Amino acid sequence: MRAEAQAHADTINEALALLRRFLDWDRALRRLDELNARVEDQALWNNPKAAQEVMRERRRLDEAITATRAIERDLNDTVELIELAEAEGDQEMAADGTAALAELATRAQADKVKALLAGEADANDSYIEINAGAGGTESQDWAEMLQRMYTRWAERRGMKVELIDYHAGEQAGIKSATLLVKGENAYGYAKVESGVHRLVRISPYDSSARRHTSFSSVWVYPVIDDNIEVEINESDLRIDTYRASGAGGQHINTTDSAVRITHLPTGIVVQCQNQRSQHKNKAEAYNQLRARLYERELAEREAAANAENATKTDIGWGHQIRSYVLQPYQLVKDLRTGHTSTSPGDVLDGDLDDFMAAALSQRVSGETVEVEDVD
């Protein structure tokens, strides 16, 4: 085959290999047979909750297996078509086959990412917490840019976004903010964004127009429902109330309606101020705490499985997962996967899917790459 067609075929085969590895193919086939047998058992339907869980697992597994088989079949058929066309000297048919492979490669990548979102909480809604690092106005402005980036990313995918908590910067930007993203697989996609994000640009706040480096952290954790039990002892909590800050009506800014909860054993702090009622803010903050503790447990499981530390790091140099360079050149580079974009404007406008896909794939493959940061 010509080089272009072979490159597309190689991309598809890589996606298929990752899918099979992730699914543990033989085990997945056996598990699907087991689930199909359980669905046929009338006793299952006497327990609606159990039936729902079985059907959810069955649907996800069946979709992944079906998609993998369809890609394999289409790949083989298209490669045979191209080889036949080249043997007969039919350049038009060979070109059509190459175009079909390109479309199949795009489909394979999309199906691969969808299949990778099979974690325990991947289908859930997600909290995205953003905190400015040291650096005053520069970092606070960068934190607000990140808030907008994730809002635009969610909107591009048809998800809904609510601002749960917001602390304005002293001159511009934000000190911190928490978004609630509601949509299918919101946590599964966003979870790979946890870490420190670095910005390099000519500062709009520097009269000498010097280049500045700013840091902000992003922390992602899933929304959990009542079916997931998280044990919290009231004696482990410190609950503080304070006056809400930022935009708001007369009531919200003049009463101690905002709530901050500190989980003493872990040091986790959550807060909410978007509701007028202190009671509602407390309930939302409590939900965030349950979610943070659950995410902590998931991270500990992953750390044990991968023998790596998945906890928060300092918001500063040496801990960043991605660098965004706006000056003197245009580049966004992920320091975990090596994936890059020369259109930082698009990335900051929410074009994050390729970065997320690369990070999700790396979690499954376990492969690490040596990536140098950009200046």
Side-chain angles (χ1 to χ4, degrees), residues 206-219:
D206 187 336
S207 59
S208 300
R210 290 172 295 187
R211 198 165 67 138
H212 283 249
T213 297
S214 306
F215 297 92
S216 289
S217 70
V218 174
W219 195 244

PDB file of all heavy atoms in Angstrom, residues 206-219:
ATOM      1  N   ASP A 206       1.937  44.229  32.904  1.00  0.00           N
ATOM      2  CA  ASP A 206       3.309  44.709  33.059  1.00  0.00           C
ATOM      3  C   ASP A 206       3.532  45.853  32.071  1.00  0.00           C
ATOM      4  O   ASP A 206       3.517  45.650  30.853  1.00  0.00           O
ATOM      5  CB  ASP A 206       4.294  43.567  32.799  1.00  0.00           C
ATOM      6  CG  ASP A 206       5.738  43.948  33.117  1.00  0.00           C
ATOM      7  OD1 ASP A 206       6.048  45.151  33.100  1.00  0.00           O
ATOM      8  OD2 ASP A 206       6.537  43.036  33.392  1.00  0.00           O
ATOM      9  N   SER A 207       3.740  47.032  32.579  1.00  0.00           N
ATOM     10  CA  SER A 207       3.919  48.201  31.705  1.00  0.00           C
ATOM     11  C   SER A 207       5.180  48.080  30.849  1.00  0.00           C
ATOM     12  O   SER A 207       5.287  48.731  29.807  1.00  0.00           O
ATOM     13  CB  SER A 207       3.988  49.477  32.553  1.00  0.00           C
ATOM     14  OG  SER A 207       5.064  49.406  33.491  1.00  0.00           O
ATOM     15  N   SER A 208       6.122  47.238  31.269  1.00  0.00           N
ATOM     16  CA  SER A 208       7.345  47.035  30.492  1.00  0.00           C
ATOM     17  C   SER A 208       7.205  45.913  29.468  1.00  0.00           C
ATOM     18  O   SER A 208       8.170  45.588  28.764  1.00  0.00           O
ATOM     19  CB  SER A 208       8.518  46.725  31.433  1.00  0.00           C
ATOM     20  OG  SER A 208       8.728  47.780  32.345  1.00  0.00           O
ATOM     21  N   ALA A 209       6.009  45.302  29.403  1.00  0.00           N
ATOM     22  CA  ALA A 209       5.723  44.239  28.424  1.00  0.00           C
ATOM     23  C   ALA A 209       6.727  43.095  28.498  1.00  0.00           C
ATOM     24  O   ALA A 209       7.219  42.603  27.480  1.00  0.00           O
ATOM     25  CB  ALA A 209       5.668  44.814  27.008  1.00  0.00           C
ATOM     26  N   ARG A 210       7.016  42.670  29.720  1.00  0.00           N
ATOM     27  CA  ARG A 210       7.935  41.548  29.904  1.00  0.00           C
ATOM     28  C   ARG A 210       7.180  40.219  29.872  1.00  0.00           C
ATOM     29  O   ARG A 210       5.980  40.171  30.104  1.00  0.00           O
ATOM     30  CB  ARG A 210       8.680  41.698  31.226  1.00  0.00           C
ATOM     31  CG  ARG A 210       9.687  42.834  31.250  1.00  0.00           C
ATOM     32  CD  ARG A 210      10.242  43.061  32.633  1.00  0.00           C
ATOM     33  NE  ARG A 210       9.212  43.518  33.563  1.00  0.00           N
ATOM     34  CZ  ARG A 210       9.460  43.913  34.806  1.00  0.00           C
ATOM     35  NH1 ARG A 210      10.698  43.873  35.267  1.00  0.00           N
ATOM     36  NH2 ARG A 210       8.470  44.317  35.581  1.00  0.00           N
ATOM     37  N   ARG A 211       7.949  39.156  29.606  1.00  0.00           N
ATOM     38  CA  ARG A 211       7.341  37.824  29.570  1.00  0.00           C
ATOM     39  C   ARG A 211       7.228  37.278  30.989  1.00  0.00           C
ATOM     40  O   ARG A 211       8.168  37.365  31.776  1.00  0.00           O
ATOM     41  CB  ARG A 211       8.195  36.892  28.704  1.00  0.00           C
ATOM     42  CG  ARG A 211       7.459  35.639  28.250  1.00  0.00           C
ATOM     43  CD  ARG A 211       8.182  34.952  27.134  1.00  0.00           C
ATOM     44  NE  ARG A 211       9.464  34.400  27.558  1.00  0.00           N
ATOM     45  CZ  ARG A 211       9.915  33.206  27.185  1.00  0.00           C
ATOM     46  NH1 ARG A 211       9.192  32.444  26.400  1.00  0.00           N
ATOM     47  NH2 ARG A 211      11.084  32.787  27.592  1.00  0.00           N
ATOM     48  N   HIS A 212       6.063  36.711  31.306  1.00  0.00           N
ATOM     49  CA  HIS A 212       5.818  36.180  32.645  1.00  0.00           C
ATOM     50  C   HIS A 212       5.411  34.710  32.559  1.00  0.00           C
ATOM     51  O   HIS A 212       4.794  34.275  31.585  1.00  0.00           O
ATOM     52  CB  HIS A 212       4.696  36.963  33.335  1.00  0.00           C
ATOM     53  CG  HIS A 212       5.125  38.296  33.863  1.00  0.00           C
ATOM     54  ND1 HIS A 212       5.223  38.583  35.208  1.00  0.00           N
ATOM     55  CD2 HIS A 212       5.500  39.435  33.212  1.00  0.00           C
ATOM     56  CE1 HIS A 212       5.617  39.835  35.371  1.00  0.00           C
ATOM     57  NE2 HIS A 212       5.790  40.379  34.160  1.00  0.00           N
ATOM     58  N   THR A 213       5.732  33.955  33.601  1.00  0.00           N
ATOM     59  CA  THR A 213       5.288  32.571  33.742  1.00  0.00           C
ATOM     60  C   THR A 213       4.352  32.483  34.933  1.00  0.00           C
ATOM     61  O   THR A 213       4.683  32.960  36.022  1.00  0.00           O
ATOM     62  CB  THR A 213       6.481  31.628  33.950  1.00  0.00           C
ATOM     63  OG1 THR A 213       7.321  31.667  32.794  1.00  0.00           O
ATOM     64  CG2 THR A 213       5.999  30.197  34.165  1.00  0.00           C
ATOM     65  N   SER A 214       3.185  31.901  34.717  1.00  0.00           N
ATOM     66  CA  SER A 214       2.170  31.792  35.780  1.00  0.00           C
ATOM     67  C   SER A 214       1.751  30.340  35.940  1.00  0.00           C
ATOM     68  O   SER A 214       1.792  29.557  34.984  1.00  0.00           O
ATOM     69  CB  SER A 214       0.943  32.652  35.435  1.00  0.00           C
ATOM     70  OG  SER A 214       1.305  33.985  35.167  1.00  0.00           O
ATOM     71  N   PHE A 215       1.317  29.993  37.155  1.00  0.00           N
ATOM     72  CA  PHE A 215       0.878  28.638  37.448  1.00  0.00           C
ATOM     73  C   PHE A 215      -0.501  28.666  38.114  1.00  0.00           C
ATOM     74  O   PHE A 215      -0.795  29.553  38.919  1.00  0.00           O
ATOM     75  CB  PHE A 215       1.857  27.939  38.398  1.00  0.00           C
ATOM     76  CG  PHE A 215       3.240  27.761  37.836  1.00  0.00           C
ATOM     77  CD1 PHE A 215       4.228  28.714  38.059  1.00  0.00           C
ATOM     78  CD2 PHE A 215       3.554  26.645  37.074  1.00  0.00           C
ATOM     79  CE1 PHE A 215       5.500  28.557  37.547  1.00  0.00           C
ATOM     80  CE2 PHE A 215       4.822  26.477  36.561  1.00  0.00           C
ATOM     81  CZ  PHE A 215       5.803  27.437  36.795  1.00  0.00           C
ATOM     82  N   SER A 216      -1.312  27.698  37.773  1.00  0.00           N
ATOM     83  CA  SER A 216      -2.583  27.458  38.468  1.00  0.00           C
ATOM     84  C   SER A 216      -2.805  25.952  38.507  1.00  0.00           C
ATOM     85  O   SER A 216      -2.319  25.219  37.633  1.00  0.00           O
ATOM     86  CB  SER A 216      -3.759  28.144  37.764  1.00  0.00           C
ATOM     87  OG  SER A 216      -3.699  29.550  37.920  1.00  0.00           O
ATOM     88  N   SER A 217      -3.533  25.500  39.514  1.00  0.00           N
ATOM     89  CA  SER A 217      -3.787  24.065  39.631  1.00  0.00           C
ATOM     90  C   SER A 217      -5.237  23.752  39.304  1.00  0.00           C
ATOM     91  O   SER A 217      -6.137  24.572  39.509  1.00  0.00           O
ATOM     92  CB  SER A 217      -3.467  23.567  41.045  1.00  0.00           C
ATOM     93  OG  SER A 217      -4.412  24.050  41.974  1.00  0.00           O
ATOM     94  N   VAL A 218      -5.433  22.560  38.793  1.00  0.00           N
ATOM     95  CA  VAL A 218      -6.775  22.046  38.495  1.00  0.00           C
ATOM     96  C   VAL A 218      -6.929  20.728  39.237  1.00  0.00           C
ATOM     97  O   VAL A 218      -6.019  19.889  39.215  1.00  0.00           O
ATOM     98  CB  VAL A 218      -6.968  21.835  36.980  1.00  0.00           C
ATOM     99  CG1 VAL A 218      -8.310  21.170  36.693  1.00  0.00           C
ATOM    100  CG2 VAL A 218      -6.857  23.163  36.242  1.00  0.00           C
ATOM    101  N   TRP A 219      -8.057  20.553  39.911  1.00  0.00           N
ATOM    102  CA  TRP A 219      -8.328  19.321  40.631  1.00  0.00           C
ATOM    103  C   TRP A 219      -9.715  18.853  40.245  1.00  0.00           C
ATOM    104  O   TRP A 219     -10.677  19.612  40.333  1.00  0.00           O
ATOM    105  CB  TRP A 219      -8.224  19.556  42.141  1.00  0.00           C
ATOM    106  CG  TRP A 219      -8.130  18.299  42.950  1.00  0.00           C
ATOM    107  CD1 TRP A 219      -9.026  17.838  43.859  1.00  0.00           C
ATOM    108  CD2 TRP A 219      -7.070  17.339  42.918  1.00  0.00           C
ATOM    109  NE1 TRP A 219      -8.595  16.645  44.388  1.00  0.00           N
ATOM    110  CE2 TRP A 219      -7.400  16.322  43.838  1.00  0.00           C
ATOM    111  CE3 TRP A 219      -5.883  17.245  42.187  1.00  0.00           C
ATOM    112  CZ2 TRP A 219      -6.575  15.222  44.051  1.00  0.00           C
ATOM    113  CZ3 TRP A 219      -5.071  16.142  42.402  1.00  0.00           C
ATOM    114  CH2 TRP A 219      -5.421  15.151  43.328  1.00  0.00           C
TER     115      TRP A 219
END
